[in-house]
Amino acid sequence: MPLNLPPGEGPPSFPDLIATAGYRAMAAALRLGAFAALANGPLTAPDLAAELRTDPRGTGLLAEALVAFGYLEHGEDGYRNTAMTTKWLSDDGYSTVDRFWATVLFESWDDLEESVRTGRPALDFYAWLSARPETLARFQGMLSGHADHIGPEVAEVVPVGRRLLDLGGGHAKYATRLCAAHPDLRATVVDLADALAVGGRTVAEAGLADRITLRAGDYDDLDLGGDYDTALLFNVVHGRPVEANRALLERVATALAPGGAVVLLEHDEHCADPASDAFARVFSLNLFHGQGGQVYSAEEIGTWLTGAGFADPTTHPLESAPGQSLIVARKTPEE
Ligand SMILES: C[S@@+](CC[C@H](N)C(=O)[O-])C[C@H]1O[C@@H](n2cnc3c(N)ncnc32)[C@H](O)[C@@H]1O
């Protein structure tokens, strides 16, 4: 949690040094299960250590660091979660996001200089994820939770006909919501096999296996078929270089019926809120480092869309997710 230090004369990096150490300490507490253990009530350091099977001295020092950052507080009976920790970090809800980002920042950013120096991604993000099943599950869980949150607003904006293609649709929450709302709609979700394992469970639980087809494979190579009314590319183009996106949008245009709609979900390049703006910039750097992508401006995406044969790209900022927008464009009808 931010310490809100008064502006000082010291090195500008010092607040970031302690914030980074605080985030790392918080991640250790999550990984060790400290917040979950304290959800049952306060514990002294030795009792917390016994619960976590950790070293009592190290546990006490970690707890003190967490007090400094507002994650824990001292009570009469030992350490206890603060109200904000109880709300956000003491169960498997939001803490999934921090467990994912801590792994990204403290493992994959180790060689950040390398990607910046060479201009090439320092890792193959999806192969990296595939080798870390727990992190992959958290990644899909995080996106799936976000889809639950913004789903109602997304469903109002996405134009729907009878056939929907969701490229990189992984957890299948969007296809499931749209099919549930439109009884005549059938959907095909394309993604890598391990992501579709998550999507398969979503589709089965919704009882929509007869209307949603899951196709495992590479959306750059698979025969995508044709005559779709709608194609979704949600959180896809920011993970890829420009030329790969132009080529994929041409494939999407071929797969759509004339007048069909492509809908992209993307982060806004700039946001009015300083925290969202800073997040967009470090997120963009992370996309460059891990995948050769970045957060692209809506204007740039619009030029790719018109170049691929789409008309009137329109941006719909999401009220349910400030800093993210849907971009909708229609395939130009054949003359
Ligand atoms: C950032 S996630 C977005 C998931 C979902 N569309 C959403 O917005 O919540 C990108 C998805 O694209 C999938 N993906 C990445 N490269 C792919 C490829 N070459 N072919 C098919 N799917 C791919 C990933 O497995 C992942 O599920």
Side-chain angles (χ1 to χ4, degrees):
M1 289 184 213
L3 285 182
N4 295 324
L5 301 174
E9 294 297 312
S13 52
F14 185 65
D16 292 331
L17 184 162
I18 48 180
T20 306
Y23 194 68
R24 183 64 186 88
M26 180 281 306
L30 277 180
R31 290 174 183 172
L32 292 168
F35 300 135
L38 291 170
N40 301 321
L43 291 170
T44 63
D47 287 346
L48 179 60
E51 184 94 6
L52 303 181
R53 297 171 190 264
T54 51
D55 174 69
R57 191 158 67 98
T59 305
L61 293 171
L62 175 63
E64 282 301 310
L66 295 167
V67 168
F69 286 95
Y71 291 105
L72 298 184
E73 56 196 6
H74 293 287
E76 283 180 10
D77 304 320
Y79 294 99
R80 63 175 176 234
N81 290 334
T82 59
M84 293 297 269
T85 298
T86 300
K87 178 175 179 187
W88 295 101
L89 300 175
S90 62
D91 61 20
D92 287 339
Y94 181 81
S95 66
T96 304
V97 175
D98 281 321
R99 292 198 66 173
F100 171 75
W101 274 104
T103 305
V104 168
L105 293 175
F106 294 112
E107 291 184 25
S108 83
W109 276 39
D110 192 36
D111 52 0
L112 181 59
E113 303 77 13
E114 190 59 17
S115 58
V116 174
R117 190 178 291 123
T118 64
R120 288 188 298 275
L123 58 150
D124 175 341
F125 177 69
Y126 288 104
W128 180 88
L129 265 190
S130 196
R132 292 165 178 74
E134 288 189 352
T135 306
L136 186 137
R138 286 188 195 111
F139 176 68
Q140 288 293 341
M142 187 172 83
L143 290 162
S144 174
H146 190 61
D148 289 336
H149 176 65
I150 67 173
E153 192 179 0
V154 168
E156 281 177 19
V157 177
V158 172
V160 166
R162 296 175 76 88
R163 299 188 68 219
L164 175 102
L165 177 64
D166 186 359
L167 296 179
H171 47 72
K173 282 282 176 76
Y174 296 107
T176 303
R177 179 178 288 275
L178 290 166
C179 282
H182 301 273
D184 292 335
L185 182 66
R186 289 179 175 271
T188 299
V189 179
V190 175
D191 207 304
L192 306 175
D194 43 19
L196 284 185
V198 179
R201 289 193 288 276
T202 308
V203 171
E205 278 165 22
L208 288 167
D210 56 334
R211 289 167 51 209
I212 300 179
T213 304
L214 304 176
R215 286 192 67 199
D218 183 342
Y219 45 43
D220 289 312
D221 289 336
L222 275 181
D223 178 356
L224 300 177
D227 223 21
Y228 291 98
D229 303 294
T230 312
L232 308 183
L233 273 176
F234 282 8
N235 292 310
V236 165
V237 300
H238 63 216
R240 302 156 54 86
V242 173
E243 284 316 314
N245 286 329
R246 287 185 186 277
L248 184 57
L249 286 172
E250 283 177 13
R251 283 166 58 70
V252 170
T254 305
L256 283 169
V262 61
V263 187
L264 293 85
L265 171 63
E266 282 297 318
H267 284 254
D268 302 337
E269 193 185 22
H270 299 297
C271 315
D273 163 51
S276 302
D277 193 59
F279 179 79
R281 291 169 197 238
V282 287
F283 181 52
S284 198
L285 179 60
N286 181 55
L287 293 164
F288 173 79
H289 174 65
Q291 301 175 63
Q294 69 175 85
V295 175
Y296 297 102
S297 69
E299 291 74 26
E300 177 163 9
I301 293 171
T303 64
W304 308 339
L305 286 165
T306 47
F310 292 96
D312 301 328
T314 308
T315 302
H316 300 261
L318 289 178
E319 276 180 27
S320 53
Q324 291 176 48
S325 297
L326 293 171
I327 301 172
V328 183
R330 293 270 179 187
K331 178 175 170 177
T332 314
E334 280 148 15
E335 304 275 307

